Amino acid sequence: LLLLLLLLLASLPPCLLLASSLIPHCAAVARCVAMELAQLIAPSGEWGKVWQAAHWDKKLKKQDYLEADICRLIAAFQARHKVVSLRALGHLVLGACKIFARKAQLFEEEANEVRTRLALVLSNLL
């Protein structure tokens, strides 16, 4: 029986032998990656505000949107792209887009306020 098992193992391609020995290692790596992603998208994590913007944008305050640095976030996504699945990356990009849209809306509101004040000042001068 042992001889038969050795002959069977010898007939298998080396890649199958290597893959079968790495399966427990791959599962451990997948768990570590999932835990690292969970820490990143936690509300106190580096990408927490982006994740909240994608899913619960009403929980974020105006200051959260103003403090968010889109360039730094996108660079962080690119630096850790191996940690993030494509699905999770889609959620993060959606959150970054929502943050950018809200920043643009806040900028437009501020510009309208400045324009109104300038028009009021100029009308008083004439």
Side-chain angles (χ1 to χ4, degrees), residues 36-49 51-52 88 92:
E36 185 176 351
L37 178 63
Q39 289 173 351
L40 286 170
I41 65 172
S44 61
E46 184 181 350
W47 299 342
K49 301 293 183 192
W51 192 264
Q52 282 186 342
L92 292 169

Side-chain angles (χ1 to χ4, degrees), residues 1 17 23 47 61 82 85 97 106 114 117 119-121 123:
L1 185 62
L17 292 174
I23 288 175
W47 299 342
K61 299 174 186 160
K82 292 185 180 185
S85 68
C97 289
L106 292 170
V114 168
R117 287 184 182 181
L120 184 63
V121 168
S123 68

Side-chain angles (χ1 to χ4, degrees), residues 7-47:
L7 286 173
L8 179 66
L9 286 176
S11 66
L12 287 175
C15 62
L16 286 180
L17 292 174
L18 182 62
S20 64
S21 67
L22 289 178
I23 288 175
H25 176 69
C26 291
V29 169
R31 279 193 300 271
C32 289
V33 166
M35 287 187 62
E36 185 176 351
L37 178 63
Q39 289 173 351
L40 286 170
I41 65 172
S44 61
E46 184 181 350
W47 299 342

Side-chain angles (χ1 to χ4, degrees), residues 45-120:
E46 184 181 350
W47 299 342
K49 301 293 183 192
V50 179
W51 192 264
Q52 282 186 342
H55 299 284
W56 306 288
D57 52 346
K58 299 296 181 189
K59 286 188 176 183
L60 295 177
K61 299 174 186 160
K62 179 180 177 180
Q63 194 64 28
D64 293 329
Y65 287 105
L66 293 175
E67 289 174 353
D69 184 11
I70 301 292
C71 294
R72 185 186 56 80
L73 288 170
I74 298 299
F77 296 162
Q78 289 176 342
R80 295 193 178 153
H81 72 278
K82 292 185 180 185
V83 174
V84 183
S85 68
L86 188 58
R87 181 178 182 169
L89 187 62
H91 291 276
L92 292 169
V93 170
L94 173 66
C97 289
K98 284 186 175 184
I99 288 173
F100 185 73
R102 181 74 172 132
K103 282 181 122 177
Q105 180 185 10
L106 292 170
F107 179 72
E108 184 181 8
E109 289 172 2
E110 189 176 333
N112 285 337
E113 184 180 333
V114 168
R115 186 185 66 201
T116 304
R117 287 184 182 181
L118 281 173
L120 184 63

